[in-house]
Amino acid sequence: MTEILRQPAEVIYAHELSALKADDTSPKPTGWELSPQAVVKYLMGGTTSDGTVISEKYVGNRKLIETAVATLATDRALLLLGVPGTAKSWVSEHLSAGICGDSTRVIQCTAGTDENQIRYGWNYAQLLAKGPSREALVPTPLFRAMQDGTLCRLEELTRMGSDVQDTLITVLSEKMMPIAELNDAVYAKRGFNVIATANNRDKGVNELSSALKRRFNVVVLPLPDDMNEEIAIVSKRVAEMGHSLELPVPANTSEEIGKVITMFRELRGGETLDGKIALKTPTGNLSTAEAIAVMVGSLSQSHWFENGALLSAEIVSQNMLGAIIKDPVQDKAVLEEYLETVLKKRKDYAKFYHSMNELL
C-alpha cells in the first residue's frame, strides 16, 4: 500500500477515468479529458460498455451536477455554495479530476491570503540579482491553470478579504492576468476555468462584491433532505476512509450510523423526526461531514483500544460530544435537554443516553 495518506482523485479513480475516456464518443469542449456527459457519469456513477463500474461520488440531485458541468463548459466560473459539510470540496475535486485530469491546482483561501498568492509571486534571489523577469516570477496555481488551459480550485473563497477576492475580476471577465512589473500579461488558454467553494454560515466570512458575484454561476449544494440518503452518504464515505486508513469496519457500523444521523438531524432541525417535540439547536452545524468524522473517529478508537469487534455506544458517544458541544455552556444545555426529553424515552438509545450523561 502507498505511504501517501491520501492520493488525488485522479490517482485513486484512475481506472474509472481511463474506462470512461475509452468509452467516451461524445463531443468534448476544448481542453477537456472527458465529455460533459462522461463527467456527470463519473460523479453520479454508472457502468461503461466494457462493464467497468463507475462508483457514485456524489449522492444527490443529478441536475445540480449537470448544471455545474455545463457551467464549466462556458466562460463563466462556477461557485459551489452551501453550509459546511455539503461536499463542496469533494465535488470540486472530482469535477477537476474528470474535466482536466488534475485536481491539484488549489488555492486555500484564508484571512491571510494576499494578492501574491492569487496572482503570482517572485523568487527574491533572482529578483535581486537580475531584476523583474519571467524567470524570477513564481506562478500560482491560478497562473498555471491559465497558461495550461485547465481548472483552478479556490477553496473557501469568502474566507479571504473582499479586496483580495476582487483580484479575480479581471481574470474571470477578461481571461487575462496583467503582469505590471514586466509590462506583460498571461492570457488564458481554452479549457481554463475556476471552481470556487464558499459558505455563508461560519464566522469570518467576507461577502462577495456584486461585481465578483456576476462572474460566477452559483450552484447550491444542500444538506440531504432524505435521511436514508444521508445514511448512504455517510456509510459510503466511512467504508472508503476505513479502507484508506486500514481500519476494520465492524458489522454493526451501519446501525450506529443510523442512530448518529437520527440524533444529528433532530438536533440541527430543532425537532424530533416525527415533529412531536420541539428542540433547541446547538451552535454547530452537525453536518454530514461531521457525522463522517464522528464515525471514523469511533472506528479508530474501537480498533486501537477495544479490539474493534463491534462499535459500542460508549465510544460513539465520546466522539459525538466533540461534534455537538462547540460552546461548553450553551451546547451542553441543549444536549442535556435532548437527552432528557428524547433519548431517555427510547429503549434502543438507552446506551447512548447513559453514556452521554456520564460524559457530561
Side-chain angles (χ1 to χ4, degrees), residues 1 73 159 170 183 256 304 326:
M1 181 173 288
R159 286 279 178 190
T170 300
N183 193 27
E256 299 308 304
W304 294 112
K326 305 297 186 185

Side-chain angles (χ1 to χ4, degrees), residues 70-193:
T71 296
L72 293 170
T74 70
D75 63 350
R76 282 176 67 81
L78 171 67
L79 176 61
L80 298 175
L81 189 66
V83 300
T86 49
K88 300 183 296 297
S89 297
W90 179 254
V91 170
S92 169
E93 179 183 4
H94 284 288
L95 285 172
S96 296
I99 290 171
C100 62
D102 185 355
S103 64
T104 63
R105 289 180 173 174
V106 186
I107 297 173
Q108 181 62 56
C109 304
T110 69
T113 302
D114 61 26
E115 288 189 24
N116 292 339
Q117 293 166 282
I118 301 296
R119 298 168 69 237
Y120 51 84
W122 296 98
N123 179 322
Y124 287 102
Q126 289 204 32
L127 189 63
L128 291 171
K130 301 178 181 178
S133 64
R134 277 279 186 167
E135 291 72 29
L137 187 146
V138 179
T140 63
L142 180 65
F143 193 109
R144 294 197 302 271
M146 294 179 73
Q147 280 186 320
D148 299 340
T150 63
L151 296 179
C152 179
R153 299 164 53 206
L154 286 95
E155 291 294 314
E156 301 293 352
L157 179 61
T158 50
R159 286 279 178 190
M160 66 181 179
S162 300
D163 55 335
V164 183
Q165 292 173 12
D166 283 347
T167 62
L168 293 169
I169 291 176
T170 300
V171 172
L172 297 182
S173 59
E174 306 296 331
K175 307 304 178 190
M176 57 87 72
M177 182 188 297
I179 308 173
E181 297 87 343
L182 303 180
N183 193 27
D184 197 358
V186 59
Y187 294 88
K189 288 185 179 179
R190 290 179 66 89
F192 165 74
N193 214 329

Side-chain angles (χ1 to χ4, degrees), residues 8-304:
E10 58 270 19
V11 176
I12 298 172
Y13 297 98
H15 178 63
E16 292 185 16
L17 290 167
S18 177
L20 283 166
K21 193 170 184 178
D23 199 42
D24 194 6
T25 58
S26 300
K28 303 179 184 69
T30 302
W32 284 38
E33 296 283 315
L34 298 172
S35 67
Q37 295 89 338
V39 174
V40 172
K41 181 183 280 191
Y42 170 65
L43 270 91
M44 301 304 297
T47 307
T48 61
S49 60
D50 67 356
T52 301
V53 176
I54 307 302
S55 60
E56 192 176 29
K57 318 297 183 306
Y58 178 72
V59 180
N61 190 330
R62 182 186 183 91
K63 291 296 181 183
L64 291 177
I65 301 301
E66 289 180 355
T67 300
V69 173
T71 296
L72 293 170
T74 70
D75 63 350
R76 282 176 67 81
L78 171 67
L79 176 61
L80 298 175
L81 189 66
V83 300
T86 49
K88 300 183 296 297
S89 297
W90 179 254
V91 170
S92 169
E93 179 183 4
H94 284 288
L95 285 172
S96 296
I99 290 171
C100 62
D102 185 355
S103 64
T104 63
R105 289 180 173 174
V106 186
I107 297 173
Q108 181 62 56
C109 304
T110 69
T113 302
D114 61 26
E115 288 189 24
N116 292 339
Q117 293 166 282
I118 301 296
R119 298 168 69 237
Y120 51 84
W122 296 98
N123 179 322
Y124 287 102
Q126 289 204 32
L127 189 63
L128 291 171
K130 301 178 181 178
S133 64
R134 277 279 186 167
E135 291 72 29
L137 187 146
V138 179
T140 63
L142 180 65
F143 193 109
R144 294 197 302 271
M146 294 179 73
Q147 280 186 320
D148 299 340
T150 63
L151 296 179
C152 179
R153 299 164 53 206
L154 286 95
E155 291 294 314
E156 301 293 352
L157 179 61
T158 50
R159 286 279 178 190
M160 66 181 179
S162 300
D163 55 335
V164 183
Q165 292 173 12
D166 283 347
T167 62
L168 293 169
I169 291 176
T170 300
V171 172
L172 297 182
S173 59
E174 306 296 331
K175 307 304 178 190
M176 57 87 72
M177 182 188 297
I179 308 173
E181 297 87 343
L182 303 180
N183 193 27
D184 197 358
V186 59
Y187 294 88
K189 288 185 179 179
R190 290 179 66 89
F192 165 74
N193 214 329
V194 168
I195 307 175
T197 66
N199 76 76
N200 55 7
R201 182 169 293 188
D202 280 352
K203 295 178 182 178
V205 167
N206 299 290
E207 286 292 327
L208 298 180
S209 67
S210 57
L212 187 55
K213 283 180 182 177
R214 289 196 298 271
R215 271 68 182 183
F216 284 101
N217 190 34
V218 178
V219 172
V220 178
L221 298 182
L223 285 167
D225 287 331
D226 181 71
M227 181 170 167
N228 291 329
E229 182 180 285
E230 188 166 10
I231 290 173
I233 293 169
V234 175
S235 298
K236 183 176 186 299
R237 290 293 293 133
V238 167
E240 290 172 348
M241 293 179 73
H243 176 74
S244 174
L245 297 169
E246 299 182 44
L247 296 173
V249 180
N252 69 327
T253 300
S254 294
E255 180 184 348
E256 299 308 304
I257 288 173
K259 290 176 180 176
V260 169
I261 295 300
T262 296
M263 289 184 275
F264 271 27
R265 290 178 74 89
E266 289 182 330
L267 283 167
R268 75 177 182 231
E271 63 178 14
T272 53
L273 294 182
D274 58 13
K276 293 182 179 179
I277 302 175
L279 302 167
K280 293 176 182 176
T281 57
T283 58
N285 293 300
L286 298 184
S287 64
T288 307
E290 292 218 48
I292 293 168
V294 165
M295 294 309 302
V296 173
S298 300
L299 289 184
S300 179
Q301 189 171 341
S302 177
H303 173 61
W304 294 112

Side-chain angles (χ1 to χ4, degrees), residues 299-315:
L299 289 184
S300 179
Q301 189 171 341
S302 177
H303 173 61
W304 294 112
F305 297 103
E306 302 291 337
N307 298 321
L310 291 174
L311 278 178
S312 67
E314 291 78 13
I315 286 176

